[in-house]
């Protein structure tokens, strides 16, 4: 059975809470590097994190958000990597691979993930 998650984020809402401490506990160094000067790209990666939590059936308190990383592939495609507690939970559910898609347009960013 596939494990589906989705999330929609207002780009300005994320930007308004983005202190250095928030950024450190939320995004990996790679995500910050990839999204430099692109709040919409960062919001898309936030949406991936929330979508993965939904797919894993866990709340935001259970898993460090930096365990969920979205890199950018050679054609611009999002590449999802789970580590630590997120990876453990995915393994418990028998998830071996992820499909991920991000979109953003102006005020909003969204993501869909499917674990299978
Ligand atoms: C894929 C594409 C049609 C999306 O365009 P769009 O509708 O303006 O994009 P959206 O705002 O809906 O989504 C943007 C997200 O799509 C994703 N994306 C980009 N390229 C992608 C691709 N090739 N495949 C899958 N997803 C892709 C990214 O996650 C991007 O967000 P990010 O840049 O913040 O990481 C466009 O980026 C495109 O044509 N890219 C070229 C892909 C390609 O062939 N590149 C060859 C390079 S040599």
């Amino acid at each position: 059975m596939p494990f589906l998650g989705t999330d929609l984020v207002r780009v300005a809402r994320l930007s308004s809470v983005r202190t250095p401490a928030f950024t450190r506990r939320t995004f990996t160094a790679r995500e910050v590097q990839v999204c430099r000067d692109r709040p919409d790209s960062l919001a898309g990666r936030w949406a991936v994190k929330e979508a993965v939590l939904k797919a894993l059936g866990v709340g935001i308190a259970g898993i460090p958000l930096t365990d969920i990383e979205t890199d950018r592939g050679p054609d611009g495609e999002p590449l999802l990597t789970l580590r630590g507690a997120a990876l453990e939970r995915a393994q418990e559910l028998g998830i071996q691979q992820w499909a991920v898609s991000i979109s953003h347009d102006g005020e909003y960013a969204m993501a869909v993930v499917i674990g299978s």
Side-chain angles (χ1 to χ4, degrees):
M1 188 185 72
F3 295 85
L4 177 66
T6 183
D7 193 55
L8 178 68
V9 182
R10 225 154 34 86
V11 175
R13 191 185 133 243
L14 180 67
S15 298
S16 72
V17 297
R18 237 181 69 209
T19 61
F22 174 88
T23 300
R24 267 196 307 279
R25 65 173 182 270
T26 304
F27 296 104
T28 67
R30 177 65 185 159
E31 287 174 324
V32 171
Q33 183 190 14
V34 162
C35 298
R36 191 169 301 159
D37 299 329
R38 290 299 304 257
D40 49 359
S41 291
L42 216 47
R45 278 153 178 81
W46 169 269
V48 171
K49 292 170 193 285
E50 300 239 304
V52 167
L53 294 180
K54 290 176 186 173
L56 294 177
V58 295
I60 202 160
I63 287 180
L65 293 177
T66 47
D67 280 1
I68 304 165
E69 179 180 78
T70 309
D71 200 351
R72 181 176 285 141
D75 291 334
E77 74 277 20
L79 301 173
L80 181 61
T81 301
L82 301 193
R83 303 186 178 91
L87 179 60
E88 278 173 31
R89 175 68 181 153
Q91 287 171 340
E92 277 170 23
L93 295 172
I95 297 172
Q96 294 172 346
Q97 56 184 9
W98 290 92
V100 54
S101 187
I102 296 173
S103 183
H104 39 68
D105 188 4
E107 282 182 69
Y108 291 95
M110 63 160 290
V112 175
V113 303
I114 300 173
S116 58

